[in-house]
Amino acid sequence: MGRRVVVRRLLRGETGPTGGPAFTDLLGTCLSWRDGACVVQPETGAAVTIPIADIVSGKPVPPRPSVRQRVTVRDAELHTAALEGIETTPLGEWQLRYEPAPSGRVRNRFNSCLGVGDPGMPVADAAHAVRSFYSARGRSPRIQVELGSANEEALRALGWQPVPGRDSHFLLASLSRARRSLEPADGSPSLEVDGPRVRAVLDGVAEGRAVLDGVAEGRAGLDGDWLGIHDLQVAPEHRRRGRARAVLAALLEWGAERGALTVWLHVETGNEPALALYERLGFTRHHTCRYYSTNPLSTSQS
C-alpha cells in the first residue's frame, strides 16, 4: 500500500453521457485494499472508500515530482542574483549579470548572461547584445544555457563554443531534510552577515597542539524561502575531516532561522565527491547548465 494509483470506478445510480453507466476516475494514494474495498487518498480532501466490485480498472502512476522540481529552469536560476548582490539587466527573458567588484576570482555565474527563455529578439541579435555588454565591462562574453535546449543549439549555430570543464548540475533539496541528514562535525564557524547574505568561516579549529587558520569557508544568499550555497571550499591539507560539513551546517542553520525551506547550489558535473555528498543529503538534480563563449579558452573567468 502507499502507492500512487488512478482508479476508474462505476457510479451506481448515475447515467453516463451516452445513456449507459457512468464512470469516474480518482487519482491518489492507495491506503488499503481489503475487506472488499479499496481506500484512496486524493491530494486534497478526505480519503475515498470504493467497493472493489465497482472498480472497472486501475493502474499505478509515477510519483508526482516535488514542488521544487516543478519550478522552471529560468525561475530556479533567477535565485542566483541574491547570492552576491550582483547587478542584473533584463534582455527579454534573458538576464545580463555583472559583478562590478569581484571578491577574488571572476566567476562565470555572476558575470554571464542567463540565456534561458525568450530574449525577445532573434538569438543572433541577443548574442550580439551580450557580447557588447560584457566587452564594454572588460569581461569575456558568456551565456549560460540549459544543456540540450534550443538556445544552446542556436548559439552553436552562431559559432559560440562551450567553455571547457564548466558544465554544472543545479541541485536542490528540502532544507530541513538536508539538515537532518548532515552528520555532526567538529568546529563552530564564525558568521559574517550582510543583509540577505552570509559568509561562514572556520578559522580556529584546535587540532592537537596547533590552531588551524583558514581551514574552510562558504557563502550563502537568501532569496524568499530559497537559500543558495556557493563558494564552499576547504584548504587542501584539511579535507576529508568534516570541515565542509561544519561550514555547510552553519549556513543551513542560518537559512533555517530566516525561514528558508529550499536549499540549492551548482556543482560541476565532474566533481564526483561533492555530488556524492549532496546526494546523501537529499539533493536531486533539477537541470544541467553549460556556458558558451566567443572565447571559451579565456582564463579571465572561472
Side-chain angles (χ1 to χ4, degrees):
M1 296 303 99
R3 190 164 189 177
R4 196 161 179 258
V5 297
V6 59
V7 175
R8 169 155 288 196
R9 58 175 173 142
L10 173 69
L11 294 177
R12 292 188 178 275
E14 297 187 25
T15 302
T18 61
F23 302 94
T24 188
D25 293 331
L26 178 64
L27 175 65
T29 301
C30 182
L31 301 180
S32 69
W33 183 290
R34 64 185 180 185
D35 301 329
C38 172
V39 180
V40 177
Q41 174 63 63
E43 290 191 356
T44 60
V48 179
T49 300
I50 309 169
I52 292 176
D54 290 349
I55 295 178
V56 178
S57 64
K59 64 178 181 180
V61 295
R64 188 178 184 185
S66 70
V67 173
R68 297 176 183 86
Q69 288 291 348
R70 297 199 294 270
V71 173
T72 67
V73 172
R74 181 175 180 272
D75 286 344
E77 289 286 353
L78 285 176
H79 290 289
T80 300
L83 295 185
E84 285 291 340
I86 59 177
E87 296 179 2
T88 61
T89 303
L91 184 65
E93 291 183 340
W94 289 16
Q95 185 184 72
L96 298 158
R97 303 173 297 195
Y98 173 63
E99 187 180 20
S103 175
R105 69 187 189 280
V106 177
R107 291 160 291 189
N108 282 317
R109 189 186 310 152
F110 300 158
N111 296 276
S112 64
C113 176
L114 176 60
V116 178
D118 182 2
M121 62 185 74
V123 173
D125 293 341
H128 178 75
V130 170
R131 186 169 185 170
S132 299
F133 179 90
Y134 289 105
S135 296
R137 290 161 176 78
R139 300 281 193 270
S140 297
R142 298 199 171 177
I143 301 177
Q144 177 191 349
V145 298
E146 180 186 4
L147 193 65
S149 64
N151 283 336
E152 180 183 22
E153 294 179 6
L155 289 174
R156 279 186 176 274
L158 293 170
W160 287 58
Q161 300 175 44
V163 177
R166 295 302 175 187
D167 290 5
S168 61
H169 296 313
F170 185 102
L171 307 181
L172 50 75
S174 158
L175 189 142
S176 60
R177 178 182 174 183
R179 291 182 71 200
R180 290 195 304 269
S181 303
L182 196 59
E183 299 174 2
D186 295 333
S188 298
S190 59
L191 300 182
E192 302 171 4
V193 179
D194 177 17
R197 294 176 290 277
V198 64
R199 176 175 178 246
V201 181
L202 188 63
D203 60 1
V205 179
E207 184 170 283
R209 291 173 297 176
V211 175
L212 308 176
D213 293 322
V215 171
E217 70 172 74
R219 299 171 185 263
L222 189 65
D223 186 24
D225 61 1
W226 283 55
L227 182 75
I229 305 290
H230 67 103
D231 287 343
L232 182 60
Q233 51 191 325
V234 180
E237 64 271 24
H238 301 302
R239 291 173 182 169
R240 301 184 182 279
R241 301 183 188 179
R243 310 307 194 218
R245 293 202 309 274
V247 171
L248 183 58
L251 295 174
L252 293 179
E253 182 176 359
W254 179 87
E257 290 174 349
R258 286 153 181 79
L261 301 176
T262 298
V263 57
W264 66 271
L265 43 80
H266 286 101
V267 179
E268 291 186 357
T269 57
N271 192 343
E272 295 297 336
L275 290 170
L277 167 64
Y278 293 124
E279 182 178 357
R280 292 196 298 272
L281 299 182
F283 282 81
T284 55
R285 186 187 311 176
H286 184 274
H287 62 274
T288 301
C289 55
R290 173 173 289 170
Y291 293 94
Y292 276 80
S293 178
T294 56
N295 184 20
L297 300 181
S298 170
T299 58
S300 64
Q301 291 179 214
S302 61

